[in-house]
Amino acid sequence: MTIVNRKLVLASRPEGMVTEDNFRLEEETVRDIEDGEVLLKTLYLSVDPYMRGRMNDRKSYADPVQIGEVMTGEILTQVEQSNNESYQVGEIVAARLGWQAYAISDGRDLRRIDPSPAPISTALHVLGMPGETAYFGLLDVCKAKKGDTVVVSGAAGAVGSVVGQIAKIKDCRVVGIVGSDEKVRWITEDLGFDAGINYKTSDHMVKDLAKHCPDGINCYFDNVGGPITDAVFPLLALNSHIAICGQISMYNSAKAEQGPRFLWNLIPTRATIQGFLVFDFFDRFPEAIKDLTEWVVSGQIKYKENVIEGLENAPRAFIGLFSGENTGKQLVHVAD
Ligand code: NAP
Ligand code: FER
């Protein structure tokens, strides 16, 4: 039987804000699999902010996506055909094989997903890369401990929502910065954050933060950068830690930004600022997944998914990350 693959390729590089025209949907016949290979059918695909960087023609920790190449990203799949004795038809595996409906793998770099503890889609967020980012960024880079005041930007997103909940589990005071009143309600009423600030309606971010952080800020987990991060610096506590996880406010900037700003605040506070990549902690991923799974199963960590239907709508889902369309993790549902 002929199987037709649909895939989204990079049609052009964005100049400034990414648009749907930067992507193109293509079809191709899936070839027969060879010895050792598996054919994977995509169930969900993940859209993540880092993909914006991979659309630029700039080498970083990973090569850029080339024009005409399938957009990069992690997919959650089911084994449809197998010539690899390690993988049986029907198993659920995650793979970094990009925005497409079918993919062929030689079996290397696949992550087998246990469907029993939680819905399989969590493997793309709280029980996957974003959850690991939250875990190591908060506990190892921010060094959060009992009694600390933790501020997290992008607090209603895939990473930020988990950061705040782990901080609550560790008995911290947690303040989240988000882009709508609805998101403030979600993080405070459902997720247990102590306070939330809507940066889009705040008249004075420093004053609003100061109100909720009377003893200063011990840990700042930064997902966004820009003016939101500027407002944190004057409130840093002695020996505080700042983790630079993401700077999404600048991913679509056409020209270089000003800064870094307000660094003199690091002098009297002896604060530490450190960037990190989740893959730095690769060897310890099992430790994070074990703890995160326990917390999800016990209900100590809750999550939300914003699911868009259809592979063809992945560009729209992706672009929505930059205007805050998602509460929780943005996913694309491709097949049952
Ligand atoms: P996400 O937070 O689920 O989605 C992005 C969110 O960013 C949006 O919902 C939006 O929420 C907010 N946002 C967009 N533009 C903004 C702006 N100009 N100013 C302030 N907020 C803005 O995405 P995620 O997957 O959890 O990723 C969060 C951050 O972590 C990203 O910066 C990402 O690059 C970074 N990250 C880093 C690593 C690493 O290894 N270092 C790994 C994973 C993720 P609002 O409605 O609140 O604006
Ligand atoms: C991310 C943002 C940036 C991320 C990785 C990077 C894995 C890395 C950027 C670079 O190497 O330039 O969300 O997630």
Side-chain angles (χ1 to χ4, degrees), residues 46-51 61 129-130 133-134 153-161 177-180 183 199-200 221-225 227-228 244-251 275-280 320-330:
S46 177
V47 289
D48 295 77
Y50 76 84
M51 294 164 182
Y61 74 106
M129 189 276 279
T133 304
S153 56
V159 174
S161 60
I177 304 172
V178 295
S180 75
K183 292 183 181 187
Y199 70 86
K200 289 187 180 159
F221 191 110
D222 188 19
N223 284 315
V224 308
I228 292 171
I244 302 298
C245 174
Q247 300 280 284
I248 195 171
S249 69
M250 299 172 222
Y251 293 176
F276 75 101
L277 258 179
V278 62
F279 309 113
D280 301 340
L321 293 173
F322 303 103
S323 53
E325 296 294 313
N326 61 306
T327 300
K329 173 64 190 175
Q330 183 63 56

Side-chain angles (χ1 to χ4, degrees), residues 129-145:
M129 189 276 279
E132 291 155 347
T133 304
Y135 185 93
F136 293 111
L138 180 70
L139 300 177
D140 279 73
V141 185
C142 274
K143 304 189 191 305
K145 57 181 192 315

Side-chain angles (χ1 to χ4, degrees), residues 69 79 105 152 269 292:
E69 247 178 29
V79 179
S105 163
V152 52
T269 57
L292 289 163

Side-chain angles (χ1 to χ4, degrees), residues 111-128:
R111 180 163 62 102
R112 188 179 269 108
I113 304 305
D114 174 3
S116 60
I120 54 172
S121 55
T122 57
L124 295 179
H125 51 104
V126 58
L127 301 183

Side-chain angles (χ1 to χ4, degrees), residues 6 11 20 43 49 58 60 66-67 69 95-96 98 102 125 130 133 141 151 162-163 169 180 204 254 279 281 308 336:
R6 292 177 310 136
E20 293 198 38
L43 309 178
R58 185 178 71 87
S60 165
Q66 299 300 325
I67 301 291
E69 247 178 29
R96 301 193 158 272
Y102 288 91
H125 51 104
T133 304
V141 185
V151 171
V162 178
V163 169
I169 291 169
S180 75
H204 200 298
F279 309 113
F281 298 92
I308 287 190
D336 287 325

